[in-house]
Amino acid sequence: MVATDRLNQTSNILHKSMKRASSIAHLTALDHPFKICVIGSGNWGTTIAKVVSENAALNPQLFASEVRMWVFEEQIDGKNLTEIINTDHENVKYLPDIKLPVNLVATPSLLDTVKDADIIIFNIPHQFLAKIVQQLKGHVDSHVRAISCLKGFEVGAKGVQLLSTYVTDELGIECGALSGANIATEVAKENWSETTVAYHIPEDFRGEGYDVDHKVLKALFHRPYFHVSVIEDVAGISVAGALKNVVALGCGFVEGLGWGNNASAAIQRVGLGEIIKFGQMFFPESRVETYYQESAGVADLITTCAGGRNVKVAKLMAESGMSALDAEKKLLNGQSAQGIITCKEVHEWLETCNSVSEFPLFEAVFQIIYNNLPMENIPDMIDELEVFR
Amino acid sequence: MVATDRLNQTSNILHKSMKRASSIAHLTALDHPFKICVIGSGNWGTTIAKVVSENAALNPQLFASEVRMWVFEEQIDGKNLTEIINTDHENVKYLPDIKLPVNLVATPSLLDTVKDADIIIFNIPHQFLAKIVQQLKGHVDSHVRAISCLKGFEVGAKGVQLLSTYVTDELGIECGALSGANIATEVAKENWSETTVAYHIPEDFRGEGYDVDHKVLKALFHRPYFHVSVIEDVAGISVAGALKNVVALGCGFVEGLGWGNNASAAIQRVGLGEIIKFGQMFFPESRVETYYQESAGVADLITTCAGGRNVKVAKLMAESGMSALDAEKKLLNGQSAQGIITCKEVHEWLETCNSVSEFPLFEAVFQIIYNNLPMENIPDMIDELEVFR
């Protein structure tokens, strides 16, 4: 093949890509443009609100321009945070130095935020979900659709439950999930990344143009710097999103021990295996492919294990001999490393199911944090893993 | 479960692991102990020679104690490198500061090295394989077994061929492969890591105790710091081992552009997808599971993309605008970044098969290196990837 053919080939590829992008631009809402709101205004919440507000502004035939974002009101230098966001178009507290779209409107009232919304995006810390959902009860029509950007499980009398299932059970609305290799500040700066949106079309789907489907979700979240894949497997991306933090703790331990890149990669390999096994065992509707093909699977695992809170806390534990609690206090300024809670929830659930020994990495992480098991035992514990054989 | 139960559970897991290790120690060669040799004495060659020499010394009923390692003779301060290795038990040139076992014997003659060997381990740079194999022709009995630790393909009239297949075709001996998340110096320092050995039992297998099987290979390579999984899928681990370097170049580009961790994880996700697709298309005997479950698959990809030559060269290209050749010269002191050769071989092969457009990441890497395609085009090219859908 000569050089001109090669260039033609490349140009063909680019052309197809542009064609596809423009096909999204022709989607139209047939009843009224979908009204979007975001619940949550931390750094990830604000970043996702920025993404969808940009798309809402660009697609007036599909989305209402105004996107409301619920902000837990705080005072910053004597001014309301909502007022600062709506005047300066910057979330100075949680996403400083990032310009926000003017059609993104910070709203201090939860009920005002969701009023008339067609799509609610949940993006708050896991521990606030229950309280917020209780406040929303009775104020959300059953035809509203939701996307959860939260990580974690709801562990209770029903066993391990997906957060999206919790939303559906409590509010009676269909809820999907968004998850991916998405460090918030990198997405906010519009560095290129990918994500996965999972949504199951409900039985009461009102038809194309009248209801949310995969095309609408792609149009809502896809940006030139934020490439979206929309799939059905809500369970798969949620399981991966919750459990990656436990694996990241394992990576932090071996890094802190000075064992290097090979060891960290080994932990990620075993971790991916246990994530898949957990999914297959407790959420049989999840697809194995999701874990190794999607951004929410292997890519998010890689990003999370490359750094982030859980790795840092575990590394400090290994280097200093500190407890998890002390390491969290020293590093996170009141925030928490989600894996520390998740590994306990997972351990308790596996104990109930008599399946602890089938997840030796998850168990090793739990035992190290809660029972002072020496970290050096990880390789021997993992070696028992027969996930695949 | 109370704390004592938990400790019992942990102790059970450790106990089972020890029991399994001791079952390996009871393997016995029934005719004569297997004689091992290693061809190659670079840093990975010497490291693997160290590993197998340790096991040979520990298992006299299974392996002959003396392990010969072929060394391309060089003079270091007026002394032969083989002499230094055999006197000081250190490869001062390629693996300094690592003590080698006394039963590892450096041998300057290729034919002396393989004399009476039952197992030959190839661990030389890819470009020397053909020459060495030609020298060995007629000097290796057909019952000898081989393991290749090389990365790459042999691209010729037969299309893309595995290096293990090349060895089998040329020498008429069964050849498996070893590959994993194994940065040589970390393994040499006995930091914990994992690896994958793949070997297909040949039709002329002479029976347990008389011939090489999976148990013998586990006993040969497994160390407390080097955990081995033995599988059948030679093609799968070889494809992954060859193509990871192309993916690593992609990671280097996005890192050099300053796009961060999300982007690098996205490249790895897409890369894993193209590796799987390439395997399925050209080596249908390879198993999808190998790519995401084994150390030689996803874990090696992660380690390689976390650093290493290919990432460094690509990063410098992105940061400085240098050509691949200049970046290699500046960084690698005469050595080469394997991905630069592999992406060209892969491109040419895919062109022959009219399949270039199905591997947009591999193609993007090729076009960037050989035809100055702007790196910023990677996301758009990748977005065309429909590997899985």
Side-chain angles (χ1 to χ4, degrees):
Chain A
M1 199 187 246
V2 292
T4 46
D5 289 334
R6 281 194 190 120
L7 285 178
N8 282 342
Q9 201 167 48
T10 309
S11 129
N12 277 343
I13 291 173
L14 292 176
H15 184 68
K16 269 195 285 174
S17 170
M18 279 153 59
K19 239 172 53 185
R20 206 162 58 182
S22 73
S23 80
I24 286 172
H26 290 124
L27 286 177
T28 301
L30 297 177
D31 185 11
H32 63 273
F34 298 111
K35 200 166 159 49
I36 316 299
C37 74
V38 179
I39 295 180
S41 53
N43 73 335
W44 187 220
T46 309
T47 299
I48 281 294
K50 172 180 178 288
V51 164
V52 300
S53 299
E54 286 167 359
N55 279 325
L58 285 168
N59 296 283
Q61 76 299 344
L62 189 59
F63 301 117
S65 174
E66 184 181 284
V67 173
R68 289 192 190 150
M69 172 172 76
W70 176 65
V71 174
F72 181 84
E73 193 68 282
E74 303 178 50
Q75 300 287 313
I76 312 283
D77 297 335
K79 276 175 92 179
N80 284 340
L81 180 55
T82 52
E83 202 185 319
I84 298 172
I85 293 174
N86 292 334
T87 312
D88 302 341
H89 307 293
E90 185 182 333
N91 185 339
V92 290
K93 173 128 192 206
Y94 296 105
L95 196 66
D97 302 321
I98 300 293
K99 214 69 202 160
L100 300 175
V102 294
N103 58 318
L104 174 60
V105 177
T107 313
S109 152
L110 188 61
L111 297 187
D112 283 351
T113 305
V114 299
K115 190 164 182 290
D116 300 326
D118 298 291
I119 305 178
I120 302 178
I121 300 165
F122 288 95
N123 205 340
I124 42 172
H126 178 178
Q127 61 266 31
F128 302 139
L129 182 65
K131 196 176 159 196
I132 281 168
V133 162
Q134 294 318 310
Q135 287 178 258
L136 291 177
K137 264 192 178 169
H139 300 277
V140 176
D141 184 87
S142 70
H143 284 116
V144 170
R145 311 307 182 185
I147 294 290
S148 157
C149 304
L150 279 64
K151 303 285 187 288
F153 296 116
E154 189 66 27
V155 183
K158 295 178 186 173
V160 172
Q161 198 182 24
L162 304 180
L163 298 182
S164 51
T165 308
Y166 176 78
V167 169
T168 297
D169 286 359
E170 295 295 313
L171 296 181
I173 59 175
E174 190 64 30
C175 184
L178 178 150
S179 188
N182 302 138
I183 298 169
T185 47
E186 293 184 10
V187 178
K189 285 188 214 156
E190 306 190 2
N191 289 342
W192 170 64
S193 70
E194 299 184 317
T195 202
T196 315
V197 173
Y199 184 72
H200 176 73
I201 305 293
E203 278 181 20
D204 66 348
F205 179 68
R206 284 166 300 166
E208 199 169 320
Y210 297 92
D211 201 343
V212 173
D213 58 16
H214 285 193
K215 284 183 199 160
V216 171
L217 290 170
K218 178 122 184 175
L220 181 58
F221 291 106
H222 190 91
R223 299 289 301 136
Y225 59 84
F226 193 58
H227 284 206
V228 170
S229 145
V230 187
I231 63 173
E232 285 271 335
D233 188 2
V234 180
I237 77 167
S238 305
V239 166
L243 295 175
K244 64 170 191 178
N245 290 321
V246 180
V247 183
L249 287 168
C251 288
F253 293 142
V254 299
E255 268 186 45
L257 289 170
W259 289 0
N261 283 334
N262 294 346
S264 177
I267 295 285
Q268 290 173 64
R269 180 195 79 81
V270 176
L272 180 62
E274 293 194 14
I275 288 171
I276 291 174
K277 189 172 191 178
F278 192 95
Q280 298 284 91
M281 201 177 263
F282 302 113
F283 299 94
E285 72 275 26
S286 72
R287 297 175 68 239
V288 174
E289 290 83 348
T290 299
Y291 300 105
Y292 67 86
Q293 288 174 355
E294 295 296 337
S295 178
V298 64
D300 191 19
L301 182 69
I302 290 170
T303 299
T304 305
C305 292
R309 291 178 194 175
N310 293 281
V311 172
K312 281 180 195 143
V313 166
K315 207 173 157 183
L316 183 60
M317 288 173 67
E319 287 166 350
S320 68
M322 271 184 201
S323 72
L325 207 70
D326 289 342
E328 257 187 328
K329 264 193 204 144
K330 174 151 184 180
L331 289 175
L332 302 184
N333 193 23
Q335 294 187 288
S336 65
Q338 187 68 45
I340 294 175
I341 303 155
T342 306
C343 79
K344 186 163 186 281
E345 289 174 348
V346 165
H347 167 83
E348 283 164 5
W349 172 245
L350 291 175
E351 213 166 55
T352 307
C353 305
N354 206 15
S355 303
V356 166
S357 64
E358 298 187 60
F359 297 87
L361 175 64
F362 295 166
E363 181 62 9
V365 170
F366 169 78
Q367 294 290 352
I368 288 165
I369 292 180
Y370 292 92
N371 289 323
N372 293 316
L373 179 86
M375 292 171 193
E376 291 79 1
N377 287 13
I378 290 179
D380 280 329
M381 289 187 72
I382 285 176
D383 205 34
E384 278 305 297
L385 178 65
E386 302 276 339
V387 169
F388 311 111
R389 281 172 277 267
Chain B
M1 198 188 245
V2 292
T4 48
D5 290 334
R6 283 197 189 118
L7 285 178
N8 282 342
Q9 200 167 48
T10 309
S11 131
N12 277 342
I13 290 173
L14 292 176
H15 183 67
K16 269 195 286 175
S17 170
M18 279 153 59
K19 240 172 52 186
R20 206 162 59 178
S22 74
S23 78
I24 286 172
H26 289 124
L27 286 177
T28 301
L30 297 177
D31 185 11
H32 63 272
F34 297 111
K35 199 165 161 51
I36 316 299
C37 74
V38 178
I39 294 180
S41 53
N43 74 336
W44 187 219
T46 308
T47 299
I48 282 294
K50 171 179 178 290
V51 164
V52 299
S53 299
E54 287 167 359
N55 279 325
L58 285 168
N59 296 284
Q61 76 300 341
L62 189 60
F63 300 118
S65 173
E66 185 181 284
V67 173
R68 288 193 189 149
M69 171 172 77
W70 176 66
V71 174
F72 181 83
E73 193 68 283
E74 301 179 52
Q75 301 287 312
I76 312 282
D77 297 334
K79 275 175 94 178
N80 284 338
L81 180 55
T82 51
E83 202 186 317
I84 298 172
I85 294 174
N86 291 334
T87 312
D88 301 342
H89 307 292
E90 185 182 333
N91 185 339
V92 289
K93 174 125 190 209
Y94 297 105
L95 197 65
D97 303 322
I98 299 293
K99 214 68 201 161
L100 300 174
V102 293
N103 58 318
L104 174 61
V105 177
T107 312
S109 153
L110 188 61
L111 296 187
D112 282 351
T113 305
V114 300
K115 191 165 181 289
D116 300 326
D118 297 291
I119 304 177
I120 301 178
I121 300 165
F122 288 95
N123 206 339
I124 43 173
H126 178 179
Q127 61 266 34
F128 302 140
L129 181 66
K131 198 176 157 196
I132 280 167
V133 161
Q134 295 318 312
Q135 287 177 259
L136 289 178
K137 263 193 178 168
H139 300 278
V140 177
D141 185 87
S142 69
H143 283 117
V144 169
R145 311 307 183 186
I147 295 290
S148 158
C149 303
L150 279 63
K151 302 285 188 288
F153 297 116
E154 189 66 26
V155 182
K158 295 179 186 172
V160 173
Q161 197 182 25
L162 304 180
L163 299 182
S164 52
T165 308
Y166 176 78
V167 169
T168 298
D169 285 0
E170 295 295 314
L171 297 181
I173 59 175
E174 190 64 32
C175 184
L178 178 150
S179 189
N182 302 139
I183 297 168
T185 47
E186 292 185 9
V187 178
K189 285 187 214 156
E190 306 191 1
N191 289 342
W192 170 65
S193 71
E194 298 184 317
T195 202
T196 314
V197 173
Y199 184 72
H200 175 73
I201 304 293
E203 278 182 21
D204 66 349
F205 179 68
R206 285 166 299 167
E208 200 170 321
Y210 296 93
D211 202 342
V212 172
D213 58 15
H214 285 192
K215 284 183 200 161
V216 171
L217 291 169
K218 178 120 184 177
L220 181 58
F221 290 107
H222 190 90
R223 299 288 303 137
Y225 59 85
F226 193 59
H227 284 206
V228 170
S229 144
V230 188
I231 63 172
E232 285 272 336
D233 187 2
V234 180
I237 77 167
S238 305
V239 166
L243 295 174
K244 64 171 191 177
N245 290 320
V246 180
V247 183
L249 288 168
C251 289
F253 294 140
V254 299
E255 269 187 45
L257 290 170
W259 289 1
N261 283 333
N262 295 345
S264 177
I267 295 286
Q268 290 174 63
R269 180 195 80 80
V270 176
L272 181 62
E274 294 195 14
I275 288 171
I276 292 174
K277 190 173 191 179
F278 191 96
Q280 297 285 90
M281 200 177 264
F282 302 113
F283 300 94
E285 70 275 27
S286 73
R287 297 175 68 240
V288 174
E289 290 83 348
T290 299
Y291 301 104
Y292 67 86
Q293 288 175 355
E294 295 297 336
S295 178
V298 65
D300 191 18
L301 182 71
I302 291 170
T303 299
T304 304
C305 292
R309 291 179 195 175
N310 293 282
V311 172
K312 280 180 196 144
V313 165
K315 206 173 158 184
L316 183 59
M317 288 173 67
E319 287 167 350
S320 68
M322 270 185 202
S323 71
L325 208 69
D326 289 342
E328 257 188 327
K329 265 193 203 144
K330 174 151 186 181
L331 289 175
L332 301 185
N333 193 25
Q335 294 186 288
S336 65
Q338 187 69 45
I340 294 176
I341 303 155
T342 306
C343 79
K344 186 162 186 281
E345 290 175 347
V346 165
H347 167 82
E348 284 165 4
W349 173 244
L350 291 175
E351 213 166 54
T352 306
C353 305
N354 207 16
S355 302
V356 165
S357 63
E358 297 187 60
F359 297 86
L361 175 64
F362 295 166
E363 181 62 7
V365 171
F366 169 79
Q367 294 289 351
I368 288 166
I369 291 180
Y370 292 93
N371 289 324
N372 293 316
L373 180 87
M375 293 172 192
E376 292 78 2
N377 287 12
I378 291 180
D380 280 329
M381 290 188 71
I382 285 176
D383 205 33
E384 279 305 297
L385 179 64
E386 302 276 340
V387 170
F388 311 111
R389 279 173 278 269

